[in-house]
Amino acid sequence: MRAPALPGLALALALLLLQPPRPARSAAARFDPTWESLDARQLPAWFDQAKFGIFVHWGVFSVPSFGSEWFWWYWQKEKRQKYVNFMKDNYPSGFKYEDFGPLFTATFFNANQWADIFQASGAKYIVLTSKHHEGFTLWGSEYSWNWNAVDEGPKRDIVKELEVAIRNRTDLHFGLYYSLFEWFHPLFLEDESSSFHKRQFPVSKMLPELYELVNKYRPEVLWSDGDGGAPDHYWNSTGFLAWLYNDSPVRDTVVTNDRWGKGSICTHGGYYTCADRYNPGHLLPHKWENCMTIDKFSWGYRRDAGIGDYLTIEELVKQLVETVSCGGNFLMNIGPTLDGIISTIFEERLRQMGTWLKVNGEAIYETQPWRSQNDTITPDVWYTSKPKEKLVYAIFLKWPTSGKLFLGQPKATGGATEVELLGHGQPLKWISWEHNGIVVELPQLTVDQLPCKWGWALALTSVN
Ligand SMILES: *[C@@H]1O[C@H](CO)[C@@H](O)[C@H](O)[C@H]1NC(C)=O
Ligand SMILES: *[C@@H]1O[C@H](CO)[C@@H](O)[C@H](O)[C@H]1NC(C)=O
Ligand SMILES: *[C@@H]1O[C@H](CO)[C@@H](O)[C@H](O)[C@H]1NC(C)=O
């Protein structure tokens, strides 16, 4: 064989040929605008690892802050007595819901303060209502003339301010809720009366707005809601999602939920929400999220809430633990006031969750469901796991009076098995229990010595 005339060039060519193929997004990896294709997309890994997020319901409904964020509907459409009377007693006759708009001041809204509270809560993502069913957008939507936070009320781009604060000051992922339909939008109502054969509203309002929202604020959670009884082809949800997953600026990191048109909930989309405050109590094969309000009766702030209407921190920790054990994420909702304050009770719950997660986060973040979700002997014991580290976590919500915790599920594997109370440090004594599980001797601690309150976690090494 003849030596090559230009060995340098040949070498370069050979090296070029040896290069692995570029990890370009090949045409094959693109998604079609069909549920079959879109549903097969793997959720970006960050979402399952995050486990805990904060939902924020804020809008013009925060001005009356009475009853529910569904105020407009209950008052004008259903004409519920409570709401009709509230208006009669407190506002001049002829006062319209639209008149609440200028009263939505956000006077004390400080996105940096919010971000710092969210960071302290231990949450890994937030979801803000960019637009609820009332149609008022918290950003200066080009498709919402005079019914948005830049033209009216605060005269500020709330979505932008929060996005910057979250991205600049925290390690949380920034997400947005968006209501597809609007209760009283004339084009939606016209489409509705055509049994959704007309598509004026999605074409001129909802779709352009969604593209604008994603391009401008790059949300990593898009929490869709409010199908208004219309099917997904009316909303062109699959067309939009194909763009979101293929070509949008957040195509690699965005997650979405399952509310994309009548019948899509718990069936299509990204992760499942299935219902508000959904907590099935058993493992689900598909990633899901439990969106839960701290105020048992409302998502938006309401001044008529009594102390008993708020979930206690014990109840919230229980929700978190049950949810994560069963493969879900916990999305805990707060409602700020019309002037942008996170009321002290919401702030306290957020900070309490943060102190609990500081001790027990190891048993929550980046865990996987174990083969068993809750214990078969002792109630209120929930399991999570980290298979690579050979760790199983037993989170117990009641400290046993005997000082001994009976665990029916984990089986010791001889000398390798170790048990530790998170935040305590020293290995605990345990014995196998009739080959049926293990009994852990908890340390005798005073209330002040406990690593935390409301629930505790044991890290079990090498159990079956
Ligand atoms: C966000 O952080 C960047 C980089 O630290 C800084 O240049 C920018 O001014 C910050 N923006 C705001 C609005 O604080
Ligand atoms: C749906 O969205 C896709 C992607 O943007 C677009 O190509 C298609 O024309 C839309 N279809 C309808 C009926 O609006
Ligand atoms: C926990 O486990 C038991 C089986 O021991 C089961 O009957 C129960 O339904 C489970 N779930 C809850 C929410 O307690």
Side-chain angles (χ1 to χ4, degrees):
M1 223 167 65
R2 276 175 25 158
L6 291 165
L9 184 64
L11 188 65
L13 263 172
L15 281 173
L16 201 65
L17 289 170
L18 285 170
Q19 293 282 320
R22 276 225 219 127
R25 299 167 61 87
S26 66
R30 287 180 68 85
F31 296 93
D32 300 327
T34 63
W35 286 126
E36 193 188 9
S37 175
L38 299 166
D39 289 349
R41 176 180 183 254
Q42 275 202 334
L43 275 191
W46 75 263
F47 184 75
D48 177 53
Q49 292 163 1
K51 306 299 184 191
F52 175 43
I54 297 167
F55 215 168
V56 182
H57 271 69
W58 203 28
V60 170
F61 50 80
S62 312
V63 176
S65 51
F66 176 81
S68 164
E69 73 291 343
W70 276 58
F71 185 96
W72 195 359
W73 185 263
Y74 292 156
W75 167 38
Q76 298 267 290
K77 182 78 183 178
E78 294 190 2
K79 305 200 188 310
R80 292 191 187 183
Q81 209 55 50
K82 175 173 140 176
Y83 295 84
V84 172
N85 288 347
F86 172 83
M87 288 310 295
K88 218 164 54 199
D89 294 346
N90 297 290
Y91 292 89
S93 66
F95 193 95
K96 300 188 297 297
Y97 189 82
E98 291 89 325
D99 298 329
F100 285 125
L103 304 178
F104 179 38
T105 61
T107 308
F108 303 118
F109 172 56
N110 180 331
N112 288 341
Q113 276 174 8
W114 283 26
D116 293 348
I117 294 171
F118 297 159
Q119 179 81 65
S121 77
K124 299 297 182 193
Y125 61 105
I126 72 135
V127 180
L128 169 72
T129 52
S130 66
K131 183 194 86 173
H132 202 259
H133 311 325
E134 64 188 9
F136 189 90
T137 63
L138 294 189
W139 83 100
S141 163
E142 298 202 10
Y143 308 92
S144 187
W145 187 73
N146 261 9
W147 192 231
N148 67 75
V150 173
D151 289 335
E152 186 156 81
K155 305 248 160 77
R156 291 159 72 175
D157 186 337
I158 302 289
V159 175
K160 186 79 202 165
E161 288 185 35
L162 193 60
E163 184 226 341
V164 168
I166 292 291
R167 296 212 155 116
N168 256 18
R169 300 171 77 88
T170 77
D171 61 0
L172 276 73
H173 295 264
F174 180 71
L176 293 170
Y177 165 108
Y178 180 84
S179 172
L180 302 177
F181 91 131
E182 296 172 24
W183 287 318
F184 302 111
H185 196 291
L187 292 181
F188 177 77
L189 296 177
E190 240 186 88
D191 291 351
E192 187 183 33
S193 59
S194 79
S195 303
F196 301 115
H197 292 303
K198 284 191 194 167
R199 295 184 61 245
Q200 307 166 93
F201 180 73
V203 166
S204 64
K205 180 73 169 35
M206 161 269 182
L207 283 165
E209 216 162 53
L210 262 186
Y211 286 104
E212 181 184 84
L213 199 60
V214 171
N215 283 323
K216 253 180 125 163
Y217 306 104
R218 296 170 290 121
E220 289 178 277
V221 181
L222 191 56
W223 215 103
S224 171
D225 191 27
D227 60 43
D232 61 66
H233 56 83
Y234 169 77
W235 299 112
N236 197 8
S237 299
T238 54
F240 170 76
L241 287 171
W243 171 81
L244 188 71
Y245 296 166
N246 289 329
D247 302 310
S248 82
V250 286
R251 64 190 186 190
D252 295 323
T253 54
V254 74
V255 296
T256 68
N257 65 347
D258 55 352
R259 303 186 180 189
W260 289 103
K262 195 177 175 194
S264 82
I265 193 166
C266 226
T267 307
H268 293 304
Y271 64 82
Y272 291 172
T273 62
C274 298
D276 291 355
R277 306 181 181 88
Y278 181 66
N279 183 3
H282 57 83
L283 183 64
L284 295 191
H286 194 278
K287 186 65 199 180
W288 62 281
E289 182 185 61
N290 171 3
C291 55
M292 173 64 63
T293 50
I294 298 177
D295 174 353
K296 289 176 214 169
F297 304 107
S298 180
W299 299 82
Y301 180 71
R302 62 187 181 105
R303 290 170 290 159
D304 52 322
I307 188 73
D309 294 342
Y310 295 96
L311 293 184
T312 63
I313 186 61
E314 287 84 355
E315 291 169 317
L316 292 166
V317 166
K318 186 179 159 95
Q319 285 286 332
L320 171 73
V321 168
E322 290 179 2
T323 299
V324 171
S325 295
C326 297
N329 276 17
F330 185 53
L331 187 66
M332 190 168 93
N333 178 75
I334 62 161
T337 63
L338 73 95
D339 40 18
I341 299 285
I342 295 175
S343 67
T344 41
I345 190 149
F346 286 132
E347 180 175 351
E348 182 180 52
R349 292 294 181 272
L350 292 169
R351 292 190 184 276
Q352 285 172 320
M353 201 57 113
T355 61
W356 191 86
L357 281 164
K358 255 211 163 73
V359 175
N360 302 295
E362 183 190 327
I364 299 291
Y365 304 124
E366 295 177 33
T367 60
Q368 293 174 27
W370 193 42
R371 63 168 168 77
S372 180
Q373 278 61 65
N374 63 335
D375 198 61
T376 37
I377 300 291
T378 306
D380 290 315
V381 175
W382 293 86
Y383 293 104
T384 62
S385 73
K386 288 185 179 161
K388 267 197 225 133
E389 287 92 336
K390 295 192 172 167
L391 280 164
V392 172
Y393 298 95
I395 308 172
F396 56 107
L397 302 172
K398 293 201 182 90
W399 193 279
T401 45
S402 68
K404 290 184 173 56
L405 191 67
F406 289 68
L407 300 176
Q409 280 300 312
K411 318 282 187 249
T413 57
T417 300
E418 278 177 31
V419 182
E420 192 190 296
L421 177 68
L422 294 192
H424 180 60
Q426 288 128 41
L428 303 184
K429 283 191 200 152
W430 57 270
I431 52 164
S432 272
W433 172 47
E434 295 169 11
H435 307 291
N436 272 325
I438 63 175
V439 185
V440 179
E441 201 172 307
L442 297 173
Q444 291 189 1
L445 301 173
T446 66
V447 171
D448 291 338
Q449 290 169 329
L450 286 171
C452 58
K453 295 182 277 184
W454 319 312
W456 304 268
L458 296 177
L460 313 170
T461 314
S462 300
V463 290
N464 287 332

